[in-house]
Amino acid sequence: MDADNQTILEDIFRAVFELDETDRIESIKRNNFPAWDSMAHVALISAIDDEFDLIMDTQDALRIDSLASCISVVERYLN
Amino acid sequence: MKFLEASRRVHASNPSKHINLLVASSANLANLDIYLKAEFVERDFRCHVDYLPFNTLPQYLVAPAVNTEQQILILFPWDFLPELDWRTGITESEPDFDECLTRLDEFEQLVSESNHLCVYVDAPTPPVFISLEKDKSIKRKLRQSANGLCYVLFDADVFNLGSYLESGIPLSGKACGLIAAKITKKLNLENQIACKILVTDLDNVMWHGVIAEDGYQAIQCSPSGRGYTHFIYQTYLKKLKHSGVLLAAVSKNDPDLALLPFVKNEMVLNDSDFVTIQASYHPKSNQIKQISKELNLNVGDFVFVDDNRLEIEEVKRAIPDIKTVLFPESSQYIGAFYAELTQNFNIQQVTTEDQNRTSLYRTRLAGLTSSDSQGSDLTQFLQKLNMTITINIRSHGKNERALQLFNKTNQFNINGIRLERDELDQKLISGYTLYTAGVSDRYGDHGEILACLLDDKKNIEMLVLSCRVFQRRIEYFFLRWLSTQLKPQIKHRLQLLYRETERNTPVRHFFDENAIDYSGEMVSIDMTKVLNDIPDLDSLFKLMPID
């Protein structure tokens, strides 16, 4: 994934989970971050759909549990 | 607007107004939230969005909330017929077709009675009828109902079935921006954002260049080169002025220098297009406050344009209620600049009064009384104005100006009630009476400046007086005239429907001085007592025969 798209994903994470610039997004996992509940997950997928103009499949959406997995899933759609 | 842009706007802005919005829907619309808030921010509102608790839409439609400022209803096919909801699966036994049509009609009736801004998402529905014809028939009927009820309809492509099944969220993420934009546009928030005056900086805004440094010959505002964006700005201001928006200028300059380009009359705008051009070395906020005082306009009705962020900040800090817009450094941002500027002015219809408003206010400035003039000084001053009042009955037409006064006047407005055209027409048909009053004086004609609506029991349901003719005793003269007309019914005691608003302090002062019963919503005024306190009223006005 190119740097611009990765920045967009990082910005989405910061906006959805209300993170500061200093927070390390890479360390956030769905199972270790209480703010990442089902509603936040839906908001995350909705924001990604909007920013990248795609409609993510439910199975792909469920695979996302970190920034790394998110980059991997979105990259497939962009390619 | 996409998600990140919406998020940035919501978090970076500091709107001056607050509004509560209730989104009534059977679905979870959480992903719409940030887009709605961003659209409201664009209109200078911080918006608190509430949603109905799960599965309470039918109850809500029977007993809608009454204390929320804005409410919208977002409907899906299964709100009309629950059998059409994908999440409940398809029932084994086929529903009764005629009974479905009856229930659909009943729901349509319920929605129509709720009188909401209604949005319909034409989502695909499962095949609940084996018969293709019945299935099509139900869908056709659904669309007909939705068309009749809804102001905004969205096609199936805004619906995301996967998301709806997985999480109960039916709106596609990439459609939320569009949906929020259309909804907020329809909410007609512009009615609440009707600024009356644009105050503009001069150097590098009205023209390219700094007149004190570059000289008059060097400034540019013609349609070429570096002057082009300033030429466009002047043509835009000219249009605003023609539509009834007042123009004023403030500049940190010597007065003769600031005025020179206008006096030379070589630009699109000249001196007569402005109600005032203030130039001094005082802070611009002070200059604006002075204009506010002289024109008797609330600073919340002002929009200030400057190219200098520091000046914008200084004004915003000193006058938090004012709207400010930064004039762009580059022509690349001109489109966004005009979009931001335009949304501050609610121009739907231009009346003769609108077109003449600048000269009316210039007239007011020429005949301005000192704000602390009282008692005999004020009476003498007013006598010299040679005011003539014309009172008109506008119950049967020619009432556009009255409607405009009801919907734009904030300060001398007894209750802040706004009226749609059809509401006014309906009231007049049912026996209400509408009066207007116009006033002219030695300086010119001010046009119609007062509107009053009496209900069928001769109570005053609405009364507004334009702020440009405050402190002239016009309200006393009109109410005295009205009490004389209604004498057999009211015996000198007028009843007015009063509600305190954020802006109608002048009305409260008027009632503090004159009301005899001030407890409930209906305020009583004994005109005999009032007139004893103002013995010289007849010497101030000449009453023209009724139109």
Side-chain angles (χ1 to χ4, degrees), chain B residues 95-305:
Chain B
D96 183 284
F97 181 75
D98 291 332
E99 197 252 336
C100 281
L101 289 179
T102 305
R103 280 194 285 125
L104 207 151
D105 283 339
E106 286 170 357
F107 186 79
E108 183 182 340
Q109 178 72 20
L110 195 59
V111 173
S112 69
E113 286 169 0
S114 74
N115 204 21
H116 280 68
L117 170 67
C118 192
V119 178
Y120 180 70
V121 177
D122 193 13
T125 52
V128 294
F129 294 100
I130 299 299
S131 153
L132 196 59
E133 196 181 324
K134 283 183 182 173
D135 213 51
K136 278 184 179 173
S137 185
I138 281 287
K139 284 173 184 167
R140 198 164 46 242
K141 170 69 180 153
L142 259 175
R143 284 195 195 99
Q144 276 175 1
S145 296
N147 264 317
L149 289 169
C150 296
Y151 296 102
V152 192
L153 282 90
F154 291 102
D155 293 335
D157 56 4
V158 308
F159 178 72
N160 183 337
L161 183 58
S163 168
Y164 184 55
L165 293 176
E166 182 60 34
S167 58
I169 290 190
L171 297 179
S172 160
K174 59 183 191 174
C176 285
L178 171 75
I179 294 170
K182 283 197 174 180
I183 288 174
T184 37
K185 191 173 178 190
K186 281 289 178 186
L187 281 171
N188 201 15
L189 294 166
E190 288 74 11
N191 274 347
Q192 300 174 45
I193 317 169
C195 292
K196 293 174 180 168
I197 178 164
L198 183 147
V199 182
T200 179
D201 177 37
L202 297 178
D203 288 335
N204 284 323
V205 175
M206 193 63 69
W207 50 73
H208 175 78
V210 178
I211 193 165
E213 294 173 7
D214 305 329
Y216 169 69
Q217 296 300 335
I219 63 170
Q220 297 173 53
C221 53
S222 58
S224 64
R226 304 186 80 168
Y228 223 133
T229 53
H230 306 279
F231 164 77
I232 293 169
Y233 181 63
Q234 290 202 20
T235 56
Y236 177 78
L237 294 197
K238 190 93 173 175
K239 184 183 177 69
L240 280 184
K241 180 223 164 189
H242 186 74
S243 308
V245 175
L246 302 173
L247 305 179
V250 292
S251 179
K252 285 183 176 169
N253 253 318
D254 293 325
D256 55 339
L257 214 48
L259 274 170
L260 185 62
F262 298 101
V263 177
K264 287 273 188 184
N265 206 13
E266 293 172 342
M267 306 191 298
V268 173
L269 294 171
N270 62 42
D271 181 34
S272 67
D273 292 313
F274 291 80
V275 282
T276 181
I277 298 173
Q278 305 241 338
S280 75
Y281 290 94
H282 295 299
K284 286 183 179 171
S285 60
N286 284 10
Q287 299 182 36
I288 292 169
K289 284 176 183 170
Q290 182 65 24
I291 295 171
S292 163
K293 188 178 169 189
E294 289 180 356
L295 296 177
N296 202 21
L297 288 174
N298 193 301
V299 287
D301 294 328
F302 281 56
V303 179
F304 173 58
V305 178

Side-chain angles (χ1 to χ4, degrees), chain B residues 61 80 113 146 223 242 489 539:
Chain B
L61 287 172
F80 291 78
E113 286 169 0
H242 186 74
Q489 293 110 308
S539 69

Side-chain angles (χ1 to χ4, degrees), chain B residues 3 48 115 122 137 180 183 191 199 201 224 244 279 323 345 357 372 378 384 406 424 426 466 511:
Chain B
F3 172 82
H48 175 79
N115 204 21
D122 193 13
S137 185
I183 288 174
N191 274 347
V199 182
D201 177 37
S224 64
K323 283 88 181 172
F345 303 102
R357 185 161 292 127
D372 54 7
L378 179 62
K384 286 178 188 167
F406 286 141
L424 177 62
Q426 196 56 47
S466 168
F511 288 153

